[in-house]
Amino acid sequence: MTDSFFGEVDTAHLSMPYSDKEFTISSAHFARLAEQCHYRLMGDIVLFGIRAAQSLSQKGKWLTEIKITENRLDYLYLNCLLGLWDRKNHKIAIFQGSTVPFKANVIKQRENPNQRISNQLAQGLYQYYVGAHEPDHRPKEEGAFRLTRHVSTPVWRDYGKGQLILDACAPNDHIHAAGSIDTDYKSAGCQVISGFHNSAMPEGEYQQFRILAGQSALPSELELHLPYQYLLTHTRHLHAIQQGCLNEYLMQGSEGYLVRELQEQLIAENYLFEQKIDKGLMDGKTVKAVYEWQKASSINANGIYHLESFKL
């Protein structure tokens, strides 16, 4: 099965088609991505996810560059990369993982359209904090990374029969161990990394991810609520940047005056309500408003605002 669940929502704004050609990226490409999407980064270490990516570069080690290629998503295997970007030292480290929900959970969502069961996080920049992953019917997994509940989050939900909806909510997602090294991973929407957390001490690539992120090998209560930014993108977007694309976009996590201008236009058109947002921050409610405007305007609706192509 290919990425028929969520279709091309991650790449429809890009003119570059699918390619299995290998290409090289470095810290500089992430810096360009942040600039072109108007992200305001803080701190030396930024977590990242690359959807639909594979790499033969060494995992779990700081590198100056990595070779990646676009991967086909099947919602069964860990077909994405998660990693760490050391902005100060211009290094990146990658790990095998998934940024999409497991197939069985997507099917469960389709069977229960009146509930919020499974989601796929939209691309963008997010705020996470160190905390416990609290799975149903299993002990808490300390030392994970929890998505903030204080800023509305844009997620995609697949209800089947072509009903793919962008939702703005607090999905209670995390970055945690996949409970797998390859397939049958545990995610209904969380970002997961190859490895396990069945005891007090996490294992596998996930543990190395935590350590390189600056966490203790044994999760410590002293690290609770430490902040991290998480940058989620797609292989094809990085490939476009690597090929010299200069397009600018506003999406989840974008900040600044251009975001405020967009929000004011959306408010004037009754797609957005001022009392529900912080002006200058592209949050889930703003992404949802862009999505609704795109649908009403017969524009490909993905909640991503291309600064050059579209005007309200």
Side-chain angles (χ1 to χ4, degrees):
M1 181 165 194
T2 62
D3 55 350
S4 57
F5 276 130
F6 290 88
E8 297 295 324
V9 295
D10 289 306
T11 57
H13 63 292
L14 302 169
S15 58
M16 178 173 287
Y18 170 84
S19 171
D20 60 3
K21 180 180 179 181
E22 189 176 69
F23 62 98
T24 300
I25 60 171
S26 66
S27 173
H29 296 97
F30 285 102
R32 289 180 204 162
L33 175 67
E35 290 172 3
Q36 292 173 18
C37 293
H38 297 263
Y39 297 144
R40 182 174 290 129
L41 301 179
M42 297 176 287
D44 293 336
I45 301 295
V46 173
L47 316 181
F48 67 79
I50 310 177
R51 185 162 286 158
Q54 61 182 345
S55 176
L56 295 178
S57 298
Q58 187 174 355
K59 296 181 177 64
K61 181 179 179 181
W62 290 115
L63 303 170
T64 56
E65 61 182 29
I66 59 171
K67 295 183 182 295
I68 65 173
T69 186
E70 186 168 344
N71 208 357
R72 293 288 191 184
L73 295 173
D74 57 15
Y75 295 80
L76 291 170
Y77 289 84
L78 298 174
N79 285 329
C80 304
L81 296 172
L82 280 88
L84 304 161
W85 170 23
D86 183 340
R87 299 170 60 219
K88 181 178 180 179
N89 296 302
H90 310 292
K91 301 280 188 178
I92 49 181
I94 54 169
F95 305 81
Q96 203 65 45
S98 180
T99 67
V100 302
F102 188 62
K103 176 181 176 180
N105 292 315
V106 182
I107 293 173
K108 189 181 296 184
Q109 177 66 80
R110 288 180 169 184
E111 294 171 344
N112 298 273
N114 296 322
Q115 301 179 43
R116 286 170 164 166
I117 295 174
S118 174
N119 68 76
Q120 182 165 297
L121 195 65
Q123 292 178 83
L125 182 69
Y126 296 89
Q127 182 68 57
Y128 280 72
Y129 296 92
V130 175
H133 173 226
E134 301 174 325
D136 294 336
H137 313 301
R138 300 200 310 274
K140 294 180 181 178
E141 299 171 4
E142 300 292 347
F145 304 80
R146 297 178 60 95
L147 177 61
T148 182
R149 298 177 184 176
H150 297 294
V151 178
S152 62
T153 299
V155 297
W156 290 97
R157 298 190 192 278
D158 187 329
Y159 293 108
K161 298 180 181 180
Q163 297 185 69
L164 187 61
I165 304 298
L166 183 68
D167 187 14
C169 60
N172 194 29
D173 285 350
H174 310 77
I175 300 172
H176 63 82
S180 166
I181 59 171
D182 192 8
T183 187
D184 194 26
Y185 57 92
K186 295 178 174 63
S187 172
C190 292
Q191 318 291 286
V192 296
I193 301 169
S194 176
F196 301 88
H197 197 161
N198 299 325
S199 60
M201 183 77 77
E203 302 172 6
E205 289 187 34
Y206 170 66
Q207 174 70 324
Q208 184 66 4
F209 176 90
R210 292 183 60 262
I211 291 171
L212 291 190
Q215 301 304 299
S216 304
L218 182 65
S220 168
E221 61 184 19
L222 298 178
E223 294 159 352
L224 187 65
H225 208 64
L226 286 176
Y228 286 88
Q229 289 179 299
Y230 174 63
L231 194 165
L232 175 59
T233 188
H234 192 282
T235 306
R236 208 175 303 180
H237 196 162
L238 288 173
H239 198 181
I241 289 173
Q242 192 260 357
Q243 292 293 304
C245 177
L246 299 176
N247 290 345
E248 294 184 63
Y249 301 98
L250 299 179
M251 59 181 77
Q252 165 66 31
S254 298
E255 292 188 47
Y257 185 73
L258 291 173
V259 174
R260 193 179 87 178
E261 279 193 321
L262 172 61
Q263 289 171 323
E264 288 174 345
Q265 292 179 70
L266 291 166
I267 290 168
E269 296 291 332
N270 293 317
Y271 288 103
L272 190 62
F273 301 96
E274 185 168 359
Q275 64 271 27
K276 299 289 187 179
I277 61 167
D278 286 324
K279 279 191 176 180
L281 170 64
M282 190 89 165
D283 64 350
K285 288 185 178 3
T286 307
V287 173
K288 175 74 168 176
V290 171
Y291 167 76
E292 296 294 345
W293 164 73
Q294 289 170 329
K295 286 199 302 181
S297 305
S298 299
I299 296 170
N300 179 61
N302 59 5
I304 296 173
Y305 188 84
H306 184 187
L307 284 166
E308 297 300 321
S309 297
F310 305 129
K311 297 294 181 183
L312 280 168

